[in-house]
Amino acid sequence: MSEQADDGVAPGEGTGGAGWRVGDLAALTGLTVRTLHHYDDVGLLRPDRTAAGHRVYRRAHLERLYRISVLRRFGVSLDDIAAALDDPGWTLDGALRTHLVELEDQVLRMERLLHRLAATRPDVAADGAARGDDVAGDVDVCRRLLALLEDTAVASTEPLRRVAVLVYADLEAAHRHLVEVFGLEPGPVHRDDAGTVVHGEVRTADGIVMLHRVAPEWRLVSPATLGAATGMLVVTVRDVDAHHAAVVARGGTVTYPPTDQPYGVREYGAIGPEGEPWSFWSPLGGT
């Protein structure tokens, strides 16, 4: 059956109800007609048929197709998708949780490799400068790099990722400032039974910043209460000048403008929601 013949069928023809032609469904979902035909051929998405044998897709087919598309984006094979969707215990939430675990593992492996390669680069550069045209030396360096690239396993006892914790007296106001002024990505906000925010999170591309309540029993106080800060957070941004301009436009308080620093970054300083110092920078020469 040709694709053109399928596209010429009126929705619901001979089926007693409305539906989508294969061409209409392809346009609706952004898939190709060939893909829909393939899903039919392998038994993954079997449409209804008119008396003339033309494909007609119903609401249930559309729902299944979107699940298929999500799982394909997750990297799941068609065979595994078929097994999952035919499993009565399968849920989209369960599939998402599984995918998040897999993504987290991939990210941790890539971060680990990134840090190891970055730490190795000065030695590689120094070796190259010392050897000149010594090809044998390059072989040794390449062997070391290959060993590093192949060692991607993350031990169960290995520290994985730091999480910054900032203490604020007014968690709700702090969360709002960090999102609306500094441009951090909003994370969850948790409230107690009285509606008071007792925990919050904001995010950067590489991790979480937890917002913690004042807790004298743990000697955790707000910089506003202390009148000083015992630390600060430094955030890498893609374009420090653009970020600086955005923070100023949003009413943020800047302590010094973007400045090229001798340690290889262009940096500016800002004041956080309760008086604590922040620094935003971009590596000189680009990220």
Side-chain angles (χ1 to χ4, degrees):
M1 183 182 299
S2 70
E3 295 177 7
Q4 185 175 5
D6 263 336
D7 276 343
V9 178
E13 177 187 331
T15 62
W20 289 276
R21 300 169 296 186
V22 66
D24 293 331
L25 188 65
L28 177 66
T29 60
L31 299 173
T32 65
V33 170
R34 178 173 296 180
T35 295
L36 295 175
H37 284 180
H38 180 64
Y39 289 171
D40 185 7
D41 292 340
V42 300
L44 187 59
L45 185 70
R46 288 282 174 81
D48 293 338
R49 295 278 182 167
T50 67
H54 299 300
R55 294 175 174 88
V56 176
Y57 295 85
R58 309 294 186 189
R59 178 73 188 185
H61 296 120
L62 178 65
E63 293 173 356
R64 183 177 175 92
L65 180 57
Y66 273 118
R67 295 188 189 106
I68 292 169
S69 297
V70 168
L71 292 175
R72 286 296 288 159
R73 290 296 185 93
F74 285 176
V76 182
S77 70
L78 292 183
D79 288 342
D80 288 342
I81 290 175
L85 295 185
D86 292 337
D87 179 359
W90 183 90
T91 64
L92 185 58
D93 178 60
L96 178 57
R97 283 188 282 109
T98 298
H99 186 59
L100 286 173
V101 170
E102 293 171 349
L103 280 180
E104 180 73 10
D105 182 66
Q106 293 174 24
V107 168
L108 291 173
R109 289 172 183 268
M110 289 300 101
E111 287 181 346
R112 183 175 185 265
L113 181 59
L114 172 66
H115 296 151
R116 287 188 169 191
L117 289 176
T120 302
R121 187 184 175 196
D123 293 337
V124 173
D127 286 350
R131 287 193 316 273
D133 296 330
D134 182 4
V135 177
D138 267 351
V139 171
D140 291 337
V141 171
C142 288
R143 284 175 176 166
R144 295 204 305 271
L145 286 175
L146 284 173
L148 194 64
L149 291 167
E150 291 169 358
D151 180 20
T152 60
V154 180
S156 59
T157 57
E158 183 175 344
L160 299 179
R161 179 179 293 146
R162 68 192 178 280
V163 175
V165 179
L166 300 179
V167 180
Y168 291 110
D170 188 337
L171 293 180
E172 188 164 15
H175 188 275
R176 184 168 55 251
H177 183 100
L178 297 179
V179 171
E180 296 180 0
V181 179
F182 285 174
L184 277 66
E185 182 180 346
V189 172
H190 302 282
R191 301 176 184 271
D192 61 17
D193 293 339
T196 303
V197 176
V198 294
H199 175 86
E201 294 178 9
V202 292
R203 302 175 186 273
T204 62
D206 69 340
I208 297 171
V209 179
M210 292 176 56
L211 312 184
H212 200 289
R213 64 177 177 83
V214 170
E217 66 273 23
W218 295 334
R219 303 181 68 183
L220 296 177
V221 298
S222 161
T225 303
L226 188 63
T230 60
M232 63 182 294
L233 207 62
V234 179
V235 179
T236 300
V237 295
R238 186 169 298 279
D239 185 334
V240 70
D241 290 281
H243 190 271
H244 167 263
V247 167
V248 171
R250 296 167 188 153
T253 301
V254 171
T255 54
Y256 58 92
T259 305
D260 291 352
Q261 303 290 1
Y263 38 90
V265 300
R266 183 167 174 80
E267 175 187 37
Y268 81 92
I271 297 298
E274 295 192 3
E276 78 283 3
W278 285 66
S279 173
F280 297 90
W281 71 23
S282 296
L284 288 173
T287 54

